[in-house]
Amino acid sequence: MNIREEIAHLSEPLAQFTTHPKNVRQGDVGAITQSLAAHRQYRPIVVQRSTGHILAGNHTYLAAKSLGWENVAATFVDCDDEQAVRILLVDNRANDLAMYDDRALAELLKNLASTPTGLDGSLFNGDDLDDLLFRIEGTLGEAYIANSLAELKEDYDKADTRTMLFPMTVADYTDMATKLKALRDEYGEEDNSGILKRLVNAAYEDIQRK
């Protein structure tokens, strides 16, 4: 039985479930909606059998509802209300404690970025990869850059896109990130490259008029 068949086997009516009333986690329903739309459901939600309250996957449930799904894959746990709260908390806390191997993550994202569909369906974008690469180089310094230079150059030469890095102080970075987000929202741009092109072109045209 493959994962699609297994998920289908666990399909249950969405209407019989409710988000847990004591769930204090604020998840990104929009991001999960993108994931479900791109990949469907690849792991079941976890539900307290006696109440129908969701212990793990509250925001997956909300995302599925927003997509108009009538069924979701679900597994059931027999537990009392106190243990249900403990399961709810430990599931969220375990995610909080998780960390990335930044170098391995950067390699995965670079490999995906070089494919025809780029980073679509990963919930990462080019700006995330730029920030990650900058953080790695800033943390690991010259040794990492020297060891990786040949490989990075080869990947860079093959890629259809190019990356610009702009070192700045933490204060300037925080200020710039806030303003760039406001500009992305205002102009409907998906990433910072669109905003940068707008600003540079406007400044260049201003110079040309002088």
Side-chain angles (χ1 to χ4, degrees):
M1 182 181 295
N2 61 38
I3 188 169
R4 295 296 184 194
E5 293 171 338
E6 185 173 345
I7 288 293
H9 178 68
L10 298 173
S11 181
E12 297 284 346
L14 197 71
Q16 68 178 305
F17 306 131
T18 59
T19 56
H20 199 288
K22 294 185 179 179
N23 181 40
V24 294
R25 185 75 159 195
Q26 299 297 315
D28 191 333
V29 177
I32 299 172
T33 301
Q34 291 181 43
S35 174
L36 292 182
H39 309 297
R40 304 294 294 176
Q41 188 182 2
Y42 49 82
R43 62 185 175 195
I45 64 173
V46 180
V47 180
Q48 183 182 7
R49 189 186 302 276
S50 60
T51 63
H53 291 159
I54 299 168
L55 306 182
N58 280 274
H59 299 98
T60 297
Y61 161 84
L62 293 174
K65 283 188 68 175
S66 74
L67 289 169
W69 291 12
E70 295 183 356
N71 295 278
V72 290
T75 57
F76 296 89
V77 174
D78 292 310
C79 62
D80 60 25
D81 291 345
E82 179 183 321
Q83 187 179 10
V85 171
R86 294 181 187 277
I87 293 171
L88 180 73
L89 290 173
V90 76
D91 180 70
N92 290 332
R93 184 57 176 158
N95 287 327
D96 293 339
L97 296 174
M99 298 178 63
Y100 284 110
D101 178 332
D102 282 349
R103 293 181 64 176
L105 176 60
E107 291 302 316
L108 288 175
L109 295 179
K110 285 194 298 178
N111 289 339
L112 283 180
S114 66
T115 65
T117 54
L119 297 174
D120 290 351
S122 71
L123 297 184
F124 287 92
N125 59 36
D127 291 333
D128 296 324
L129 179 54
D130 289 347
D131 290 344
L132 180 61
L133 291 172
F134 179 74
R135 185 165 68 249
I136 290 172
E137 292 174 0
T139 301
L140 301 179
E142 295 180 1
Y144 171 76
I145 297 172
N147 291 335
S148 304
L149 186 58
E151 180 182 347
L152 290 173
K153 184 179 184 305
E154 181 180 354
D155 291 342
Y156 186 80
D157 289 341
K158 292 178 181 178
D160 294 329
T161 59
R162 294 291 183 265
T163 297
M164 292 183 176
L165 297 177
F166 301 96
M168 61 187 70
T169 66
V170 173
D172 286 343
Y173 175 86
T174 302
D175 180 61
M176 190 69 65
T178 300
K179 291 175 180 176
L180 283 170
K181 182 181 185 306
L183 289 170
R184 289 199 306 271
D185 293 342
E186 175 67 22
Y187 290 108
E189 296 285 356
E190 294 184 359
D191 54 44
N192 290 334
S193 61
I195 296 300
L196 180 61
K197 285 188 287 187
R198 283 176 178 269
L199 296 176
V200 171
N201 288 336
Y204 184 79
E205 290 172 2
D206 186 55
I207 292 173
Q208 295 296 100
R209 287 194 293 267
K210 292 181 179 179

